[in-house]
Amino acid sequence: MDGYNEYRTARVGEVLADFRTLQYYIAAAPVNPQDSSEYYTEGWAALRQCSLDGQHILEVAADTSVPEASGGEEEQTKAELKQVLLDAYARRHEGQKIYLRQAAAQRWVECRGSVLAAGRSSSKTESALRQCDRQLRQELAAITDDYIYNELQASDITMGRWTAEDPSLRSVQRWIRARQ
C-alpha cells in the first residue's frame, strides 16, 4: 500500500479527458471534398483514413485482464488503475497521432485550395500542387511515436500533472500493435 491510488485515479481521468477531446476534433474533421474530382487525392485519402482510425481506436475493446495482486485490496486497486492508465494513455497517444495527421492533411487542403484559386498557368499550378503534396508527405513522416510520446509527456509536465507511473513508449506501442 503506497498511498498513490488517488493520484492514479486522477491521472486516468486526465488522460481520458484528453482522449475524449481528441475524439471530438477527429470526428469533426472533413472527409469528403466539395469537388468530387479531388476525392482520391493524397490529402483527402489521408483525412478519410484518419476518420477510420479514429473510429477504430474508439471501438477497440479495453484489456480488462488484470494480474491478481498480492497485498490486499489496495494493491489490487493499484494494479487495476495501472492497467486502465495504460489503456487510456495508449488511446490518447493514438488519438494525438490521428489528430496531427488530420491537421497536416487539412493544411494540404488549404495549400491546394490556394494554388487552385490563384489561377496560374498550368505548369506553375502543377508544380505548386506537387509542392503541396511533398509538404504533406514530409509532415506525415515527422509524426512518429517518439515525437508524439515526448510532446504529450512535455505537455503533461508543463500542466503539472502526476506522471510518475506513466507507461513507457514501448508499452504504448505494444498496446497499439496488439489491437491493429
Side-chain angles (χ1 to χ4, degrees):
M1 184 161 76
D2 61 11
Y4 291 119
N5 282 348
E6 286 183 38
Y7 292 106
R8 291 181 186 102
T9 301
R11 183 69 177 131
V12 167
E14 293 166 349
V15 173
L16 285 173
D18 291 348
F19 176 65
R20 184 184 67 223
T21 300
L22 286 166
Q23 278 297 325
Y24 288 134
Y25 289 124
I26 292 167
V31 293
N32 293 310
Q34 290 179 343
D35 180 352
S36 61
S37 68
E38 298 214 346
Y39 186 83
Y40 294 104
T41 55
E42 205 166 342
W44 285 106
L47 283 166
R48 284 190 301 282
Q49 186 60 52
C50 288
S51 178
L52 292 171
D53 293 346
Q55 291 170 11
H56 174 74
I57 198 66
L58 216 109
E59 294 170 357
V60 73
D63 182 4
T64 56
S65 62
V66 178
E68 195 73 28
S70 59
E73 185 179 329
E74 193 76 19
E75 285 299 312
Q76 186 62 38
T77 300
K78 175 183 174 180
E80 291 170 7
L81 285 169
K82 285 181 146 189
Q83 183 65 33
V84 172
L85 178 60
L86 173 59
D87 185 90
Y89 203 91
R91 288 174 196 271
R92 180 183 74 158
H93 178 94
E94 197 65 7
Q96 182 71 12
K97 184 189 302 183
I98 295 164
Y99 174 73
L100 292 175
R101 287 176 27 223
Q102 275 184 328
Q106 287 176 315
R107 283 189 293 279
W108 173 90
V109 168
E110 291 171 13
C111 177
R112 189 170 174 83
S114 295
V115 168
L116 293 172
R120 301 180 210 168
S121 70
S122 179
S123 65
K124 286 186 179 183
T125 298
E126 288 300 316
S127 175
L129 290 175
R130 281 193 301 277
Q131 179 55 38
C132 291
D133 291 345
R134 279 191 297 276
Q135 181 64 34
L136 173 63
R137 284 186 220 112
Q138 287 172 351
E139 287 186 43
L140 293 176
I143 302 169
T144 64
D145 283 335
D146 285 330
Y147 173 78
I148 292 164
Y149 186 87
N150 291 330
E151 286 295 309
L152 288 172
Q153 188 177 52
S155 175
D156 287 338
I157 291 168
T158 299
M159 288 190 278
R161 293 177 168 180
W162 187 73
T163 60
E165 293 184 354
D166 281 358
S168 68
L169 174 57
R170 291 238 191 281
S171 297
V172 169
Q173 289 171 323
R174 268 193 309 273
W175 185 97
I176 292 167
R177 273 194 307 276
R179 283 150 186 85
Q180 289 179 331

